[in-house]
Amino acid sequence: MLRRTPPPPWIAMYHSVDTDRDDPYRVTVTPGRLDSQLRWLRARGLRGVAVRDLLAAHARGAARGLVGLTFDDGYADFLRHAVPLLRRHGCTATVFALPGRLGGDNAWDPLGPRKPLLTAEGLRSCAAAGMEVASHGLRHVSLPPADDTILQDELRGSRDLLHTLTGEPPAGFCYPYGHVDARVAAAARDAGYAYACAIDPGRLSGVHALPRVHIGQRDTALRLHAKLRLHALRRRAPAGLPSADAAAAANADADGRTDTGTYAGPRTRMRAS
């Protein structure tokens, strides 16, 4: 009798949390919507956690009832709006920051409002509040077409900067726009990241190309339920999820004790990441 392969850990992908309804890429949820989504999770016995903690729990066989929460781009509104709500609901999350654009804005988006990004002090405040600070690269550039110098600058350079800023080497990376190929995933692993997040990486799915589910303003209880159910039906556990030993090593690295197909589709009004 064939044993059904379990689905991968469920990881939600957020971006901005703001009251501004000018949102051509559909990457913004209001604080009220995030509050209701977190309440929906908690009412079903689920708790949102940072990806680093989710993978460590998965390796221990203790991930039941946990889902991953991620916030891409490192918007300043993560600290202002998301962190208080996460703490109110007993949750944590991973914020994927751009240390090459600290205090800047989302200049990579030609449409929509300018959204301020976290400063160095803001990132430290996120970490002090119990959130995981991880890397989204330096400048939010697509990595598959990048030459080796730019690729290493975005991966290793951003990791080194975040280590300096927060005192902890980041355990995780998130591919800008969700763009990843085998070369980029291997480079993320070689740069020292314990994991990396993608969107829907297909055959590349693994600990350095974790699939995630986009969550937006339109995701009410019914849609959240459907996305949770479809995730279990459509996806299978990625290869290379950490063992207990690997998770312990990743946690030690994140605590500063040790330092151990391609998607390139056209940009649309619903930006990937």
Side-chain angles (χ1 to χ4, degrees), residues 219-272:
D219 288 314
T220 56
L222 185 61
R223 287 171 60 94
L224 286 174
H225 178 76
K227 288 186 174 185
L228 193 61
R229 293 284 294 173
L230 286 172
H231 177 75
L233 294 172
R234 292 177 54 213
R235 292 179 170 135
R236 297 295 178 261
L241 284 179
S243 65
D245 289 343
N251 282 345
D253 182 39
D255 288 341
R257 294 190 293 270
T258 61
D259 192 15
T260 58
T262 306
Y263 171 76
R267 168 174 274 187
T268 68
R269 281 182 172 263
M270 183 175 176
R271 183 168 60 78

Side-chain angles (χ1 to χ4, degrees), residues 48-111:
V49 297
V51 178
R52 180 183 64 197
D53 300 330
L54 178 66
L55 295 182
H58 186 277
R60 299 192 307 271
R64 184 177 179 84
L66 299 180
V67 298
L69 299 179
T70 63
F71 290 77
D72 291 9
D73 301 336
Y75 292 111
D77 57 43
F78 174 75
L79 180 60
R80 184 169 66 254
H81 295 309
V83 168
L85 290 171
L86 290 164
R87 288 170 64 89
R88 180 186 304 169
H89 290 283
C91 297
T92 59
T94 300
V95 57
F96 289 112
L98 295 157
R101 292 186 181 273
L102 294 175
D105 61 30
N106 56 330
W108 61 89
D109 280 336
L111 302 175

Side-chain angles (χ1 to χ4, degrees), residues 55 96-97 99 132-138 143 151-163 169-175 184-197 207-208 250 253 259-260:
L55 295 182
F96 289 112
E132 179 189 11
V133 176
S135 176
H136 203 25
L138 284 174
L143 297 181
L151 181 61
Q152 292 306 314
D153 197 28
E154 291 291 323
L155 291 167
R156 295 183 185 272
S158 65
R159 190 169 193 264
D160 290 344
L161 270 176
L162 287 175
H163 188 179
F173 186 83
C174 173
Y175 304 108
V184 171
R189 178 199 64 212
D190 294 343
Y193 293 103
Y195 73 85
C197 284
V207 72
H208 287 95
D253 182 39
D259 192 15
T260 58

